[in-house]
Amino acid sequence: MYAIIENKGKQLKVAKDSIIKIDKLNAKSGDKITFDNVLLLTEGEKSKIGTPNIEGAKITATILENQKDDKIIVFKKKRRHNYRRKTGHRQEYTLVKIEDIKG
């Protein structure tokens, strides 16, 4: 059984006991959260498709930890003009473990 959920404008495929990486949430590790924006539920050959969401479908999850991703280097250069800029960025994310899928 798996489901497709929407979180902060992104769609994610989740299954029971899977660990997913989502954009940072303001919560501590060990907190329980629920996802109500379930777009699709599939169990074996049966599947439900929401318009846009499935009524009554909920996914419960536990927050494992908040972390920062690897650094992304942004380097800009214009040749023959002595123009070089080097910046970086580390995106924050939250690791979440899916506990239960109810449809």
Side-chain angles (χ1 to χ4, degrees):
M1 175 180 224
Y2 71 89
I4 295 180
I5 62 171
E6 181 183 5
N7 183 32
K8 295 187 177 182
K10 297 178 182 175
Q11 295 178 2
L12 303 163
K13 179 180 175 181
V14 297
K16 189 172 190 234
D17 296 328
S18 65
I19 296 174
I20 59 172
K21 188 189 324 187
I22 61 174
D23 288 341
K24 184 175 186 270
L25 299 174
N26 292 327
K28 297 178 182 177
S29 60
D31 290 350
K32 301 273 186 184
I33 58 171
T34 60
F35 297 105
D36 295 330
N37 294 338
V38 180
L39 304 176
L40 178 120
L41 276 174
T42 301
E43 184 173 3
E45 294 294 320
K46 299 177 188 175
S47 62
K48 292 181 189 176
I49 300 173
T51 54
N53 298 330
I54 298 174
E55 295 294 324
K58 289 186 179 180
I59 295 177
T60 58
T62 304
I63 294 178
L64 298 178
E65 59 187 334
N66 292 321
Q67 292 182 344
K68 281 189 169 183
D69 214 354
D70 294 335
K71 187 170 220 171
I72 297 172
I73 304 296
V74 179
F75 185 72
K76 300 176 183 179
K77 179 181 178 180
K78 293 183 182 177
R79 62 185 195 156
R80 295 190 295 269
H81 291 285
N82 198 22
Y83 175 83
R84 290 179 212 92
R85 301 290 181 265
K86 181 179 177 182
T87 58
H89 176 72
R90 290 186 72 186
Q91 184 70 34
E92 294 181 339
Y93 66 91
T94 302
L95 281 178
V96 174
K97 181 176 182 183
I98 305 299
E99 298 292 330
D100 191 24
I101 298 174
K102 294 182 182 177

